[in-house]
Amino acid sequence: MRTGAVTATEIVREGHRLTGGFHLAEDQKAMTLLKQLQDITPLIELTTGRRIFRGSIFKRIIVTDPRRGRPYVSARDLVQAEISPADYLSYRHGNLLNELELKEGMILVTCSGMNLGRAIWARSDMDGLCASHDLIRIEPSSQESAPGYVYAFLASRFGHVAIRRQIYGGNIKHIEPEQLEQLPVPRFSKAFERKVHALVLEAAALRTEASSVLAKAREDVARELDAPQVGPAGFSTNGVSFTAIRDTRRLDAFFHNPSAAKLDTWAKRHPNGSWQLREVARVFDVPPFKHIYVEAGHGVPFFTSGDLFDLERTTDKYLSRTQTRDLRRYVLERGWVLLARSGQLGGIIGTPQFADSSLGKATTSDHVIRVVPRNDVVPPGYLFAYLSCRGIGYPLLTRTMTGASVPALWPMYLDNVAVVKASAAFMKKVDHAVQDAFERRVVAGEKDLAARKLVEDAIEKGAN
């Protein structure tokens, strides 16, 4: 919790705003720097058609057949590294679908939820998706400014403060499109703004390429192994034999999912042969521990299980090197496969993440299960691609979870997941593709941050 004091004069001067966060000292300081700049343009004047909007609030009509609807994503989906629409909005919504449609080059601002006030650049792989009404749409005009520059400002420390000051509400906080219209956008030379814009475009291209490479790697694995088509996660069955229960010692309904059971049989009887996960990797968890945070530069970066899926693998949490007991037990190594231990089916549970160079030597929580590949048996990239295939690894992994309200994964059950073998040449090819894709994301993140840093430095220099 952040606290501070504010005078009645300041409340009146700021339009009678009583929202506590509006008057935070560090935010006031940032806004003071912005207002000291000579060249400021309201955000609305930098948009196409002088319009900042969001989709209408509506009751969703969801269909499962992609021929009967448009792919639909939520605000939460768009802040994750991989966008995989699971739902389709029915064509029965008519013209509303066009209103909700995303276009490449849009700037999106989350206007409710946990990631409130976050700016997102709409990449080419988002083009044509229908998105939630919880996103404010900004269509920057290329005639008025370099669009990537406008995004970089809104995503910067100063832009985020300017957006955050518009938040209203109690338990459920919101931002409205009209509140962003007069947001002050500092202007610099055209050359500078184009330079920032170029970095944003380079980052977006790298992220799109990375997602495409990962999607192809998974498709190649499924094709190479001739994986069977499986049904949806939901299922019904007439019953489970006593033999199946006796042999598995599992009474969980989901463990006996016919689709997952079919996959398990296919994997264990595959002509190529298969391993148990324990034979190709060490699967383990770590005990819960006390988190003692310190300032950046004085500790080890710490990621929650949710952070691992974020578009930007950055963190503002750092564990103390001296006060965290057995710190080395929680340190990650590049090339590990990571699994969120708990969550809801269809969410992050059972969806692997890969430890790239941005996570090497960082730490993560006890809510993450570590899968450390034996590189002499199976390359880490192949193991990741296999386990992250929605039609192979996901059903096999989630089949092992236990619990009702909040299901959980356990190393003792994951050890027995079947991993189908492939030729050494094929596994090496997939491994190279996966590792290359994740490193492209690392470079993309660096370029995105560099663009914001240019803007922040220019604002601070111009105000002093």
Side-chain angles (χ1 to χ4, degrees), residues 64 100 140 184 244 248 293 352:
T64 56
L100 298 174
T248 62
Y293 298 123

Side-chain angles (χ1 to χ4, degrees), residues 92 180 225 244 276 287 361 412 414 439:
R92 291 164 58 189
L180 302 186
L225 301 181
Q276 287 185 312
K361 305 306 179 183
M412 61 184 289
L414 293 171
E439 290 312 307

Side-chain angles (χ1 to χ4, degrees), residues 8 64 129 165 207 210 242 270 273 291 340 386 396-397 411-412 428:
T64 56
L129 296 176
R165 281 164 57 86
R207 283 173 171 147
F242 172 77
H270 199 280
H291 302 169
Y386 176 88
L396 293 175
L397 292 170
M412 61 184 289
K428 184 177 180 180

Side-chain angles (χ1 to χ4, degrees), residues 77-212:
D77 294 329
L78 295 182
V79 299
Q80 296 189 345
E82 291 202 50
I83 302 172
S84 302
D87 295 327
Y88 295 87
L89 275 186
S90 171
Y91 286 127
R92 291 164 58 189
H93 283 295
N95 291 333
L96 176 63
L97 297 177
N98 296 328
E99 183 182 337
L100 298 174
E101 182 181 12
L102 301 183
K103 299 175 183 176
E104 181 182 1
M106 269 185 172
I107 301 170
L108 312 172
V109 176
T110 54
C111 54
S112 66
M114 292 182 62
N115 292 292
L116 182 62
R118 181 167 174 177
I120 305 164
W121 177 262
R123 307 184 302 273
S124 59
D125 56 337
M126 298 181 192
D127 195 63
L129 296 176
C130 288
S132 161
H133 60 265
D134 288 331
L135 287 164
I136 293 174
R137 279 85 161 162
I138 302 168
E139 293 184 339
S141 170
S142 58
Q143 302 298 318
E144 301 294 339
S145 66
Y149 165 75
V150 178
Y151 157 76
F153 165 71
L154 293 176
S156 72
R157 174 168 58 91
F158 291 97
H160 187 64
V161 164
I163 294 171
R164 186 170 64 193
R165 281 164 57 86
Q166 308 306 317
I167 294 172
Y168 73 93
N171 292 332
I172 302 177
K173 301 184 184 302
H174 296 278
I175 305 172
E176 297 300 331
E178 54 269 22
Q179 293 177 286
L180 302 186
E181 291 181 357
Q182 298 305 313
L183 220 64
V185 180
R187 305 305 305 279
F188 299 98
S189 70
K190 290 184 177 179
F192 176 81
E193 293 184 3
R194 284 197 296 266
K195 179 180 180 180
V196 173
H197 174 73
L199 283 171
V200 171
L201 292 188
E202 289 170 16
L206 285 167
R207 283 173 171 147
T208 300
E209 292 165 9
S211 294
S212 177

Side-chain angles (χ1 to χ4, degrees), residues 13 19 74 80 84-85 116 148 161 176 205 210 212 229 252 261 308-309 311 318 330 345-346 364 386 422 437 450:
R13 185 177 64 234
T19 310
S74 67
Q80 296 189 345
S84 302
L116 182 62
V161 164
E176 297 300 331
S212 177
Q229 296 292 319
D252 319 61
L308 300 177
F309 294 82
L311 176 67
Y318 297 84
Y330 308 102
L345 186 64
T364 190
Y386 176 88

Side-chain angles (χ1 to χ4, degrees), residues 137-325:
R137 279 85 161 162
I138 302 168
E139 293 184 339
S141 170
S142 58
Q143 302 298 318
E144 301 294 339
S145 66
Y149 165 75
V150 178
Y151 157 76
F153 165 71
L154 293 176
S156 72
R157 174 168 58 91
F158 291 97
H160 187 64
V161 164
I163 294 171
R164 186 170 64 193
R165 281 164 57 86
Q166 308 306 317
I167 294 172
Y168 73 93
N171 292 332
I172 302 177
K173 301 184 184 302
H174 296 278
I175 305 172
E176 297 300 331
E178 54 269 22
Q179 293 177 286
L180 302 186
E181 291 181 357
Q182 298 305 313
L183 220 64
V185 180
R187 305 305 305 279
F188 299 98
S189 70
K190 290 184 177 179
F192 176 81
E193 293 184 3
R194 284 197 296 266
K195 179 180 180 180
V196 173
H197 174 73
L199 283 171
V200 171
L201 292 188
E202 289 170 16
L206 285 167
R207 283 173 171 147
T208 300
E209 292 165 9
S211 294
S212 177
V213 169
L214 288 175
K216 185 178 183 302
R218 296 184 183 105
E219 291 169 2
D220 288 347
V221 169
R223 188 183 306 109
E224 177 75 11
L225 301 181
D226 193 23
Q229 296 292 319
V230 297
F235 68 94
S236 62
T237 180
N238 292 327
V240 180
S241 69
F242 172 77
T243 302
I245 294 174
R246 181 195 63 195
D247 293 345
T248 62
R249 298 181 179 235
R250 294 293 296 269
L251 289 170
D252 319 61
F254 200 78
F255 184 84
H256 299 283
N257 179 346
S259 295
K262 177 183 176 182
L263 271 173
D264 185 60
T265 300
W266 162 80
K268 291 176 178 176
R269 296 179 181 176
H270 199 280
N272 293 358
S274 64
W275 299 287
Q276 287 185 312
L277 187 55
R278 66 159 66 93
E279 297 176 297
V280 297
R282 183 166 69 97
V283 185
F284 69 100
D285 53 12
V286 295
F289 64 102
K290 186 175 183 179
H291 302 169
I292 301 175
Y293 298 123
V294 294
E295 295 294 325
H298 298 280
V300 181
F302 174 81
F303 292 80
T304 67
S305 57
D307 291 339
L308 300 177
F309 294 82
D310 202 293
L311 176 67
E312 302 168 4
R313 277 191 172 168
T314 57
T315 181
D316 58 358
K317 299 183 181 71
Y318 297 84
L319 289 181
S320 170
R321 289 190 177 93
T322 58
Q323 299 181 64
T324 306
R325 186 175 180 181

